[in-house]
Amino acid sequence: RVDKIVGEFLKLAGDDAYVFVVSDHGGEPINKRFNAAEFLRMSGFISLKTSNGRQSASPLQLAASALFGLRLEWLLDIPGSRKLMGEIMKARVRSLRKSAKPDQGFYAGQVDWPKTTAFISSGIGLRINLKGREPQGFVDPADYEAVRDKVASEFAGLKDPENGQNVFRYAQARERVLSGPYTELAPDVMCLPNTGYLPTEALASFD
């Protein structure tokens, strides 16, 4: 199907057109997964609910824990498995829309948000749980800069205990990395992992 669409574009462009095949982003080898949320918890930035107040883990969280905890990533190389995973994710999104419940992702209701300082919002971003901005903000705006500097410092200095290598190339305030009118929409701390490391949002020790 993709080849057919490309062919149609080439016909419309004509024989004299220059055609460039480019990627929207690059990729590097992944040797280890780093559980950023788990590190935030261990560092005291994420607070968990008591066992009585937690929700049961979602099927997606349990599947992820089994997949990576048992080193079964190779299953994703089986023909059709990635397509199946995509359909599962789509079904999950549709289910969440119908239920009108907030998407807790891999956190599965474990986080005590009113007592949480920071959390991972993507593989390359950390957000401060700021009062007045986040739904259950905890950090006072007057303490924002100090808290953000502390979180960034923790991640910037993080080293792999097995080889002493920095897990991240940098962890800095977003305005030191980005510019433009939409900078404030980005995570508070931008992190770029070193080659070989993949940050995850799971509250589980896969690696």
Side-chain angles (χ1 to χ4, degrees), residues 7-8 20 30-31 53 57 68-69 77 115 126-127 132 143 153 162 166 184 188 195 203 205:
E8 292 175 354
F20 297 88
I30 297 173
N31 302 316
F68 298 116
D77 294 327
K115 297 180 181 179
L126 303 166
R127 289 183 71 85
D143 300 325
S153 177
E162 293 183 356
N166 287 332
E184 291 189 359
D188 299 292
T195 300
L203 278 168
S205 297

Tab-separated table of all heavy atoms in Angstrom, residues 7-8 20 30-31 53 57 68-69 77 115 126-127 132 143 153 162 166 184 188 195 203 205:
chain	number	residue	atom	x	y	z
A	7	GLY	N	4.204	5.623	-5.467
A	7	GLY	CA	4.145	5.618	-6.923
A	7	GLY	C	3.212	6.687	-7.468
A	7	GLY	O	3.522	7.343	-8.477
A	8	GLU	N	2.079	6.889	-6.795
A	8	GLU	CA	1.141	7.917	-7.230
A	8	GLU	C	1.742	9.315	-7.094
A	8	GLU	O	1.553	10.185	-7.951
A	8	GLU	CB	-0.153	7.805	-6.414
A	8	GLU	CG	-0.943	6.532	-6.716
A	8	GLU	CD	-2.155	6.372	-5.804
A	8	GLU	OE1	-2.296	7.203	-4.875
A	8	GLU	OE2	-2.931	5.428	-6.017
A	20	PHE	N	13.244	12.951	-2.576
A	20	PHE	CA	14.073	12.660	-1.406
A	20	PHE	C	13.324	11.706	-0.477
A	20	PHE	O	12.140	11.920	-0.187
A	20	PHE	CB	14.399	13.943	-0.628
A	20	PHE	CG	15.203	14.934	-1.413
A	20	PHE	CD1	14.581	15.875	-2.223
A	20	PHE	CD2	16.594	14.929	-1.351
A	20	PHE	CE1	15.315	16.786	-2.953
A	20	PHE	CE2	17.338	15.832	-2.072
A	20	PHE	CZ	16.705	16.774	-2.882
A	30	ILE	N	19.345	-0.430	21.172
A	30	ILE	CA	18.877	-0.430	22.563
A	30	ILE	C	19.394	-1.691	23.246
A	30	ILE	O	19.065	-2.800	22.841
A	30	ILE	CB	17.343	-0.374	22.630
A	30	ILE	CG1	16.828	0.928	22.014
A	30	ILE	CG2	16.869	-0.500	24.086
A	30	ILE	CD1	15.330	0.983	21.888
A	31	ASN	N	20.206	-1.487	24.262
A	31	ASN	CA	20.757	-2.614	25.001
A	31	ASN	C	20.150	-2.772	26.387
A	31	ASN	O	20.107	-3.861	26.938
A	31	ASN	CB	22.280	-2.456	25.146
A	31	ASN	CG	22.974	-2.354	23.801
A	31	ASN	OD1	22.659	-3.114	22.882
A	31	ASN	ND2	23.895	-1.419	23.665
A	53	GLY	N	-5.031	1.324	48.937
A	53	GLY	CA	-5.570	2.363	48.073
A	53	GLY	C	-5.237	2.188	46.610
A	53	GLY	O	-5.678	2.965	45.784
A	57	ALA	N	-3.349	-3.894	38.902
A	57	ALA	CA	-2.592	-3.617	37.695
A	57	ALA	C	-3.443	-3.908	36.456
A	57	ALA	O	-4.227	-4.850	36.419
A	57	ALA	CB	-1.326	-4.468	37.667
A	68	PHE	N	9.069	-7.799	29.389
A	68	PHE	CA	10.419	-7.307	29.623
A	68	PHE	C	11.070	-7.952	30.848
A	68	PHE	O	12.273	-8.151	30.886
A	68	PHE	CB	10.396	-5.789	29.774
A	68	PHE	CG	9.900	-5.084	28.547
A	68	PHE	CD1	8.733	-4.337	28.583
A	68	PHE	CD2	10.596	-5.186	27.366
A	68	PHE	CE1	8.271	-3.690	27.448
A	68	PHE	CE2	10.140	-4.544	26.215
A	68	PHE	CZ	8.978	-3.788	26.257
A	69	GLY	N	10.278	-8.273	31.847
A	69	GLY	CA	10.850	-8.872	33.041
A	69	GLY	C	11.383	-10.263	32.785
A	69	GLY	O	12.366	-10.677	33.396
A	77	ASP	N	9.491	-9.868	17.497
A	77	ASP	CA	10.059	-10.094	16.175
A	77	ASP	C	9.293	-11.154	15.391
A	77	ASP	O	9.565	-11.378	14.208
A	77	ASP	CB	11.523	-10.526	16.293
A	77	ASP	CG	12.397	-9.413	16.852
A	77	ASP	OD1	12.086	-8.238	16.562
A	77	ASP	OD2	13.362	-9.712	17.577
A	115	LYS	N	1.017	13.849	46.619
A	115	LYS	CA	2.286	13.793	47.342
A	115	LYS	C	3.465	13.539	46.406
A	115	LYS	O	4.568	13.256	46.859
A	115	LYS	CB	2.227	12.694	48.401
A	115	LYS	CG	1.178	12.923	49.483
A	115	LYS	CD	1.185	11.787	50.489
A	115	LYS	CE	0.114	11.992	51.565
A	115	LYS	NZ	0.094	10.877	52.543
A	126	LEU	N	10.498	15.010	31.645
A	126	LEU	CA	10.031	14.914	33.023
A	126	LEU	C	9.209	16.151	33.342
A	126	LEU	O	9.568	17.265	32.967
A	126	LEU	CB	11.229	14.833	33.985
A	126	LEU	CG	12.216	13.691	33.752
A	126	LEU	CD1	13.494	13.929	34.544
A	126	LEU	CD2	11.597	12.361	34.138
A	127	ARG	N	8.114	15.932	34.024
A	127	ARG	CA	7.250	17.048	34.402
A	127	ARG	C	7.233	17.209	35.917
A	127	ARG	O	7.187	16.217	36.656
A	127	ARG	CB	5.822	16.833	33.895
A	127	ARG	CG	5.692	16.975	32.392
A	127	ARG	CD	4.243	16.823	31.954
A	127	ARG	NE	3.429	17.951	32.348
A	127	ARG	CZ	3.313	19.070	31.640
A	127	ARG	NH1	3.987	19.216	30.516
A	127	ARG	NH2	2.530	20.043	32.043
A	132	GLY	N	-1.615	24.289	40.313
A	132	GLY	CA	-2.204	25.238	39.392
A	132	GLY	C	-2.066	24.856	37.933
A	132	GLY	O	-2.709	25.447	37.072
A	143	ASP	N	8.610	27.148	44.515
A	143	ASP	CA	9.678	26.144	44.636
A	143	ASP	C	9.994	25.475	43.298
A	143	ASP	O	10.844	24.573	43.245
A	143	ASP	CB	9.270	25.059	45.646
A	143	ASP	CG	9.023	25.640	47.035
A	143	ASP	OD1	9.732	26.584	47.411
A	143	ASP	OD2	8.112	25.135	47.726
A	153	SER	N	19.342	17.513	37.940
A	153	SER	CA	20.661	17.116	38.434
A	153	SER	C	20.728	15.619	38.709
A	153	SER	O	21.743	14.961	38.405
A	153	SER	CB	20.994	17.898	39.704
A	153	SER	OG	22.224	17.499	40.243
A	162	GLU	N	26.980	-0.864	36.047
A	162	GLU	CA	27.759	-1.947	35.459
A	162	GLU	C	28.972	-1.457	34.667
A	162	GLU	O	29.976	-2.153	34.571
A	162	GLU	CB	26.871	-2.801	34.553
A	162	GLU	CG	25.789	-3.567	35.319
A	162	GLU	CD	24.962	-4.457	34.409
A	162	GLU	OE1	25.189	-4.404	33.167
A	162	GLU	OE2	24.106	-5.196	34.914
A	166	ASN	N	27.239	7.338	31.670
A	166	ASN	CA	26.065	8.160	31.925
A	166	ASN	C	24.871	7.588	31.154
A	166	ASN	O	24.987	7.299	29.961
A	166	ASN	CB	26.295	9.604	31.490
A	166	ASN	CG	27.233	10.345	32.416
A	166	ASN	OD1	27.329	10.029	33.598
A	166	ASN	ND2	27.931	11.339	31.892
A	184	GLU	N	6.698	26.194	26.391
A	184	GLU	CA	6.051	25.901	27.665
A	184	GLU	C	5.177	24.659	27.614
A	184	GLU	O	4.764	24.149	28.662
A	184	GLU	CB	5.221	27.100	28.129
A	184	GLU	CG	6.074	28.303	28.532
A	184	GLU	CD	5.253	29.392	29.182
A	184	GLU	OE1	4.014	29.212	29.291
A	184	GLU	OE2	5.828	30.417	29.579
A	188	ASP	N	9.087	19.820	31.593
A	188	ASP	CA	9.918	20.785	32.314
A	188	ASP	C	11.401	20.476	32.191
A	188	ASP	O	12.233	21.391	32.125
A	188	ASP	CB	9.520	20.799	33.786
A	188	ASP	CG	8.075	21.206	33.970
A	188	ASP	OD1	7.751	22.378	33.698
A	188	ASP	OD2	7.261	20.351	34.380
A	195	THR	N	23.314	6.382	23.827
A	195	THR	CA	23.147	5.220	22.951
A	195	THR	C	23.107	3.937	23.781
A	195	THR	O	23.956	3.716	24.638
A	195	THR	CB	24.305	5.138	21.948
A	195	THR	OG1	24.326	6.321	21.142
A	195	THR	CG2	24.155	3.918	21.047
A	203	LEU	N	6.423	1.445	36.478
A	203	LEU	CA	6.789	1.345	37.903
A	203	LEU	C	7.072	-0.112	38.220
A	203	LEU	O	6.364	-0.757	38.974
A	203	LEU	CB	5.663	1.882	38.780
A	203	LEU	CG	5.630	3.404	38.938
A	203	LEU	CD1	4.322	3.843	39.561
A	203	LEU	CD2	6.801	3.873	39.778
A	205	SER	N	10.669	-3.011	38.097
A	205	SER	CA	12.087	-3.186	37.823
A	205	SER	C	12.289	-4.254	36.763
A	205	SER	O	12.504	-5.419	37.056
A	205	SER	CB	12.843	-3.546	39.096
A	205	SER	OG	12.760	-2.503	40.044
